[in-house]
Every structure is written in C-alpha cells, then in structure tokens.
Amino acid sequence: RSHFGSSNKCGAISDMSTSKPLRTVSLEKKQQAIDYLAKNRVHELLNDLCASVCFHKPSNVKEFLVEELRKRSTQGAEAGLFDNREIDAVFSMADVMQKGIVSETVCRDALRSLANSKYQFDEVANLQIPAEVDSQTFRKTARSLLAMSPVPP
C-alpha cells in the first residue's frame, strides 16, 4: 500500500472505499511524489505531530498543531516532544543508582528512547560519547541528537 491510496501494478491509484481507479499516474510521477515526501520528511513530521498530540492531549487539537508547527519553524528540528525537564527525567530513570553519572552504554540506550526517527535512532551508534556521562552532557547530547536530520539527497 502506498501513501496515496491503493495502487495496482500499472500505477493506477484507486479510491480505497470503491477500489475504482481515480487516475493513472506514471511511475515516474509517483516516485517524484514519494521522493518529495521523503526529502521534506513529511511522514516523520506527521508521526511526530501525532505523537505530540497523544502525549499532551490538548483540548483544541487544531490550535495545538498550528502552535507545534510554528515552534518547529522558529526553533528548528529539535522542537518536538521533549523539553529539558523531560530529557532530565529520562537521564534520572537511566541513572538507577542516582549517582549523577551513567555509563556510555546506558547513555546510548537512554538516547535511543528519545529518538524521534529511525535516522536519529541509528545515529546514536555514531555519537562520540565518553565512558561516563553526567546529566549536563546527557542533555547537551540529547539536544544535539534531536536536532539531527538526514541530509536531503
């Protein structure tokens, strides 16, 4: 199934409710649309917005979504689900002995729990992380991770 409804092998897009072809789209045009959505990270953005709605449960969803989009436009990619308080809470949960320091392995696991995309999740493995990480370093690393996005092709 594609993002554009169901399609047959000839590239005809169908209305999901009637399964009747709406129009035939060339495979090239369809690929261009898929590439555009990927380049602009539309799927990732919509997933993040849906998760944010579920997390915050606003009384006015449309107003909340408009505000979230405004934040992303002014604050960049790191505007999302997690503020510093929530990042600190993730560190605190990772620091089970409450020593104020976690190991590199524990830090990577905690950072993966914050990742907003598969790209960010995979990038955790490439981060330079010291053997011991305090809360300030964790917060800085988390903010850096949350700002990461793939380089458009």
Side-chain angles (χ1 to χ4, degrees):
R1 215 171 103 184
S2 76
H3 299 291
F4 307 103
S6 61
S7 64
N8 63 28
K9 291 180 182 175
C10 299
I13 296 177
S14 304
D15 179 332
M16 292 175 141
S17 62
T18 64
S19 296
K20 295 180 183 174
L22 296 174
R23 61 189 162 107
T24 301
V25 177
S26 73
L27 291 177
E28 182 181 341
K29 291 280 187 193
K30 188 174 180 180
Q31 189 59 49
Q32 286 174 350
I34 290 168
D35 291 346
Y36 175 82
L37 292 173
K39 177 183 175 189
N40 290 286
R41 301 172 57 216
V42 173
H43 185 71
E44 198 173 293
L45 172 65
L46 294 175
N47 279 341
D48 188 33
L49 290 171
C50 287
S52 194
V53 165
C54 291
F55 182 78
H56 294 286
K57 296 177 179 51
S59 57
N60 186 330
V61 174
K62 288 178 186 177
E63 192 175 289
F64 176 81
L65 289 171
V66 168
E67 185 56 34
E68 285 294 301
L69 288 169
R70 277 194 190 109
K71 276 199 278 187
R72 283 163 176 73
S73 121
T74 59
Q75 297 173 15
E78 66 274 10
L81 286 179
F82 305 105
D83 60 24
N84 285 337
R85 183 177 38 111
E86 292 158 333
I87 291 171
D88 292 344
V90 169
F91 179 83
S92 182
M93 287 188 295
D95 182 16
V96 293
M97 300 303 286
Q98 298 301 299
K99 292 183 177 182
I101 294 176
V102 297
S103 70
E104 172 194 358
T105 303
V106 170
C107 177
R108 286 186 196 281
D109 289 343
L111 289 170
R112 284 186 185 99
S113 76
L114 291 169
N116 288 326
S117 66
K118 180 178 179 344
Y119 177 80
Q120 289 175 356
F121 185 90
D122 293 343
E123 280 300 304
V124 170
N126 299 325
L127 294 173
Q128 296 296 317
I129 298 175
E132 293 186 332
V133 179
D134 64 12
S135 63
Q136 289 299 97
T137 303
F138 180 80
R139 184 189 296 171
K140 182 179 175 186
T141 306
R143 283 276 156 234
S144 175
L145 173 70
L146 295 171
M148 285 183 179
S149 62
V151 177

